[in-house]
Amino acid sequence: MLKISHLQKHYRGFSLDCSMEVQPGMITGLIGRNGSGKSTTFKALLGLIHPDGGEIEVFGKKAEEDKQKLGVVFADSGFSMYLTAAGVANIMKSIYPDFDREEFLQQCRRFDLPTDKKIKEFSTGMKAKFKVLAALSHKAELLILDEPTVGLDVIARDEVLNM
């Protein structure tokens, strides 16, 4: 499902050399100190940064060839805060062929996320739930979750993890 072979990235004072393999059905966590390369690995996998060496394969293909099957949540990024959930649904529908707009909006309501309110008006917990819901909404086969529960209270954290 995911194979990373000697992924390398070098910055001043930092060098990454990461290899790992994730089989279907596995839940795998990257654990390390701040600045150890976890987010860098995810960003290279997603093509957000260019690696200095190594190979990344997703579903047997080069990572950059097919991102339709990936669901992604980053702690420090997301959708424009000026969009509503309904607006995000329209964008997702244009990007992902398997996205079901009505199902997504129904799930938003299930998790008490207003579909007509701007995301900037959501609480921290609501934003986290929204990002995870969006990552799951297009039938992703591989989820990349980079600290999806950071800053959440215990109840909101449990709700996000249960999703």
Side-chain angles (χ1 to χ4, degrees):
M1 175 174 271
L2 170 64
K3 184 176 182 180
I4 299 175
S5 302
H6 294 287
L7 169 65
Q8 297 177 6
K9 186 65 184 174
H10 305 286
Y11 297 110
R12 187 177 357 172
F14 171 81
S15 287
L16 173 70
D17 187 338
C18 177
S19 295
M20 64 183 287
E21 192 165 344
V22 178
Q23 297 295 327
M26 289 179 67
I27 296 174
T28 303
L30 298 182
I31 301 171
R33 294 175 169 248
N34 291 339
S36 64
K38 301 177 300 292
S39 295
T40 299
T41 300
F42 293 146
K43 288 175 183 175
L45 164 65
L46 297 168
L48 300 174
I49 61 170
H50 184 73
D52 297 326
E55 293 184 8
I56 303 172
E57 290 182 13
V58 181
F59 306 109
K61 300 177 182 178
K62 298 286 184 195
E64 62 272 4
E65 291 180 25
D66 185 12
K67 295 186 184 125
Q68 292 287 319
K69 298 177 184 176
L70 301 179
V72 181
V73 175
F74 281 119
D76 60 352
S77 67
F79 300 100
S80 168
M81 296 290 115
Y82 294 95
L83 291 171
T84 62
V88 169
N90 293 336
I91 292 168
M92 298 283 286
K93 181 65 180 163
S94 70
I95 296 171
Y96 298 104
D98 291 333
F99 179 80
D100 183 334
R101 184 180 188 281
E102 292 312 312
E103 172 68 16
F104 175 74
L105 295 175
Q106 182 179 339
Q107 290 298 318
C108 284
R109 289 186 287 274
R110 177 177 168 229
F111 287 100
D112 297 320
L113 301 172
T115 59
D116 59 347
K117 189 176 185 181
K118 290 182 180 174
I119 297 170
K120 73 178 186 169
E121 298 171 13
F122 285 12
S123 69
T124 301
M126 291 168 75
K127 288 175 188 170
K129 285 191 264 185
F130 185 76
K131 289 191 290 187
V132 172
L133 180 59
L136 295 170
S137 68
H138 63 280
K139 299 175 182 61
E141 295 179 36
L142 176 62
L143 294 176
I144 307 295
L145 308 175
D146 189 8
E147 300 187 37
T149 62
V150 73
L152 298 182
D153 63 58
V154 175
I155 294 169
R157 180 187 165 276
D158 287 347
E159 287 177 325
V160 168
L161 293 175
N162 285 333
M163 288 174 70

